[in-house]
Amino acid sequence: MKQSRKGAPGALLTNANVLDYLPPQMNAAPDPRVEIADLRIAGGRIIERGRGLAPHEGEEVRDLGGRTVMPGLINAHHHLYSTLAPGMPPPANTPRSFQDVLTEIWWKLDRALDPEAIRISAVSGAWDSLRCGTTLIFDHHSSLTSVGGSLDLVEQGLREAGVRGCLCYEVTDRGGPGSRDTCLEETRRYLQKTAAPGDGVPAHSVPWFKGLVGAHAGFTLEDGTLDSLAALCTEFDTGVHMHLAEGSTDREICKDRGWPDPLERLDRHGLIRPRSLLAHGVDLTPLDLQTIEEKGAWLVHNGRSNMNNGVGRAPVDRFPPRSCLGTDGLDGNMFGELRTTFYRGNETGRGPLGFHGAERFWIGGYQLAREIFGEPFGSLDAGAPADFLIGCEDQKQPLHQGNWLSLLLFGMQPRLIQEVWVDGAPRYRRGDPAPYDGQACRAAAQRIWDRMANL
Ligand SMILES: [Zn+2]
């Protein structure tokens, strides 16, 4: 395992039952397919796909005996900083609204984080995700008393786990102008760092990390800050990753402040644009959804988080074509997220979302990754990143062209994953020890919980 983490010369996986969703051409329409194939892997990519491929000298050859291989999962909206939250003492004042949930829980947690807690939250949360088959996380980070360098700590944690990341810092005005400027500076620093391959990284390799401009939500951002965010998007030719209309709070605060409605306000400031990633989108009008579609921005559905926070039901059946799924910090289980999205669509009568909707949201994650990374994620053909999971030998039902979505919705569980590969090497094999010290992790959790009690 240790040796392969550093990168083996190459591998040939034979007799894989391969599911993939998109052709390798970057702008191709989804075309899910299942077929038995051999995959040759080198330099972090799949370099050949076919039947009966002959081994090359020095190549590690493994016969998968028909086991399932599918692209690593994409989590389009996560908060690794919240990894240590489960089990924390309840807040002194019981939250009665979504705003209370923010002020009593999350805005205390993100102030309690220290650098070591940020790193260990990232590595332990990324490890959870990896074991559930996720190989790329779009993370939305906040640590208001440890802002400078915090994205490097998140990156370090992801590297230790072996998971790719698209990172950003949640810029906000809730700490005052000085704090906001520190958030903007961290954003700029990380965008500069990830704009080009690092020293010694071959130009043709698949990037492990990308950056986005990050922001909390419109209702904690002043107009001038929105302008600064838009300027960063333009300067780095990218989009903003932020919360939008997570329940009615966004709209209510806009009304109180005399601002336009949330989506309109962001649009006026130039933030609804290609590569922008808007999480939740619960309280949006049909016109808002049309604007998001026309401007080419992405909407991320976080069904389980919406249910947990009681913010309402997102109009998922009207979400634009650029839509995908994220866990919003709840856990790393994207199969669970997909399943909940589908169940929720059926809850009040089968219909509005259906199989097609679930497929669209699932494949959307790969299309988002393509847009941000410029790499053919979602394909397991020659040229694609070698990011995939291998199923167990004891998988109960056969996987074929006609049932892949049904198996994902009703059959796939993290416990059916045997291995997860990222960048052409296994980063997780069932039974591997965790890449962090559990005792140190629990100590970090207790430390931040204790701190939270005094905030
Ligand atoms: Zn979120």
Side-chain angles (χ1 to χ4, degrees):
M1 182 67 192
K2 288 257 184 301
Q3 206 172 14
S4 54
R5 270 176 195 273
K6 284 176 185 153
L12 179 64
L13 305 180
T14 62
N15 292 313
N17 192 25
V18 180
L19 161 67
D20 62 0
Y21 311 111
L22 290 155
Q25 296 79 16
M26 287 295 283
N27 293 317
D31 184 19
R33 61 178 173 162
V34 179
E35 65 177 21
I36 295 287
D38 303 342
L39 302 175
R40 192 186 310 281
I41 293 148
R45 293 181 191 273
I46 293 162
I47 58 167
E48 195 176 4
R49 169 175 169 149
R51 298 291 294 271
L53 298 185
H56 290 172
E57 199 179 329
E59 225 169 33
E60 180 193 344
V61 183
R62 285 179 54 199
D63 184 349
L64 293 185
R67 281 153 66 188
T68 296
V69 172
M70 68 175 80
L73 315 185
I74 312 282
N75 189 342
H77 181 69
H78 199 3
H79 300 283
L80 288 168
Y81 79 83
S82 72
T83 300
L84 305 182
M88 66 188 170
N93 305 309
T94 305
R96 302 206 179 279
S97 66
F98 174 59
Q99 235 178 320
D100 288 349
V101 169
L102 292 178
T103 53
E104 293 298 322
I105 301 174
W106 304 116
W107 292 356
K108 288 187 175 175
L109 175 69
D110 79 353
R111 283 178 183 275
L113 290 167
D114 54 51
E116 173 56 8
I118 295 169
R119 185 199 64 82
I120 210 158
S121 295
V123 62
S124 56
W127 175 244
D128 283 345
S129 295
L130 184 70
R131 286 186 299 163
C132 294
T134 295
T135 53
L136 170 56
I137 295 172
F138 286 76
D139 191 60
H140 200 228
H141 176 71
S142 185
S143 51
L144 211 52
T145 55
S146 300
V147 177
S150 60
L151 295 180
D152 288 350
L153 295 167
V154 177
E155 183 184 303
Q156 188 186 337
L158 283 157
R159 276 191 198 282
E160 288 171 26
V163 177
R164 293 188 206 273
C166 180
L167 310 186
C168 70
Y169 189 91
E170 291 182 28
V171 175
T172 179
D173 277 296
R174 71 185 148 93
S179 168
R180 175 207 56 207
D181 290 346
T182 310
C183 300
L184 288 167
E185 187 44 45
E186 177 65 359
T187 300
R188 168 183 291 283
R189 186 192 67 76
Y190 195 72
L191 286 169
Q192 275 168 342
K193 176 182 162 178
T194 50
D199 292 341
V201 177
H204 61 270
S205 61
V206 181
W208 275 84
F209 294 96
K210 286 280 184 186
L212 284 172
V213 176
H216 171 247
F219 64 88
T220 70
L221 295 161
E222 300 297 328
D223 285 340
T225 309
L226 295 181
D227 289 335
S228 300
L229 294 166
L232 280 168
C233 286
T234 300
E235 182 182 342
F236 290 93
D237 189 24
T238 191
V240 66
H241 183 178
M242 67 188 296
H243 297 126
L244 170 68
E246 184 177 1
S248 56
T249 304
D250 227 348
R251 193 177 298 279
E252 287 158 10
I253 293 180
C254 282
K255 204 170 172 189
D256 288 350
R257 295 286 308 265
W259 290 332
D261 280 350
L263 187 277
E264 187 186 341
R265 181 166 175 252
L266 298 184
D267 191 28
R268 284 191 193 180
H269 286 272
L271 291 167
I272 309 301
R273 57 199 291 157
R275 302 199 181 103
S276 280
L277 190 50
L278 310 165
H280 298 283
V282 174
D283 182 29
L284 292 177
T285 66
L287 188 61
D288 290 339
L289 290 160
Q290 192 183 326
T291 302
I292 291 169
E293 181 172 351
E294 285 170 1
K295 296 290 172 90
W298 288 86
L299 258 187
V300 191
H301 179 50
N302 311 98
R304 294 182 302 168
S305 168
N306 293 344
M307 291 158 79
N308 180 49
N309 285 328
V311 294
R313 184 191 287 265
V316 287
D317 52 318
R318 297 201 306 273
F319 268 30
R322 282 184 168 83
S323 295
C324 42
L325 300 174
T327 60
D328 197 28
L330 279 185
D331 62 19
N333 186 355
M334 287 302 296
F335 287 125
E337 201 61 50
L338 172 70
R339 192 159 295 156
T340 306
T341 298
F342 183 69
Y343 292 170
R344 197 95 212 271
N346 291 338
E347 193 177 4
T348 52
R350 198 167 276 274
L353 191 65
F355 273 83
H356 176 68
E359 176 178 337
R360 180 167 74 85
F361 277 70
W362 190 248
I363 297 176
Y366 298 97
Q367 293 171 310
L368 167 70
R370 284 181 172 213
E371 192 170 303
I372 303 295
F373 281 72
E375 293 284 346
F377 288 98
S379 166
L380 291 178
D381 216 324
D387 293 10
F388 52 82
L389 62 90
I390 301 176
C392 288
E393 220 161 41
D394 58 357
Q395 180 178 313
K396 295 185 288 299
Q397 300 90 1
L399 164 73
H400 54 71
Q401 184 76 34
N403 75 350
W404 69 267
L405 184 58
S406 164
L407 259 189
L408 256 58
L409 284 168
F410 300 110
M412 269 315 285
Q413 303 277 355
R415 63 184 153 74
L416 296 174
I417 295 171
Q418 185 71 37
E419 289 181 28
V420 183
W421 288 49
V422 184
D423 206 44
R427 309 294 163 176
Y428 165 72
R429 285 175 171 156
R430 184 186 282 197
D432 277 351
Y436 59 93
D437 177 340
Q439 203 170 351
C441 193
R442 292 188 290 279
Q446 191 63 54
R447 187 168 74 243
I448 61 173
W449 296 351
D450 292 348
R451 239 177 244 153
M452 286 171 73
N454 297 314
L455 289 173

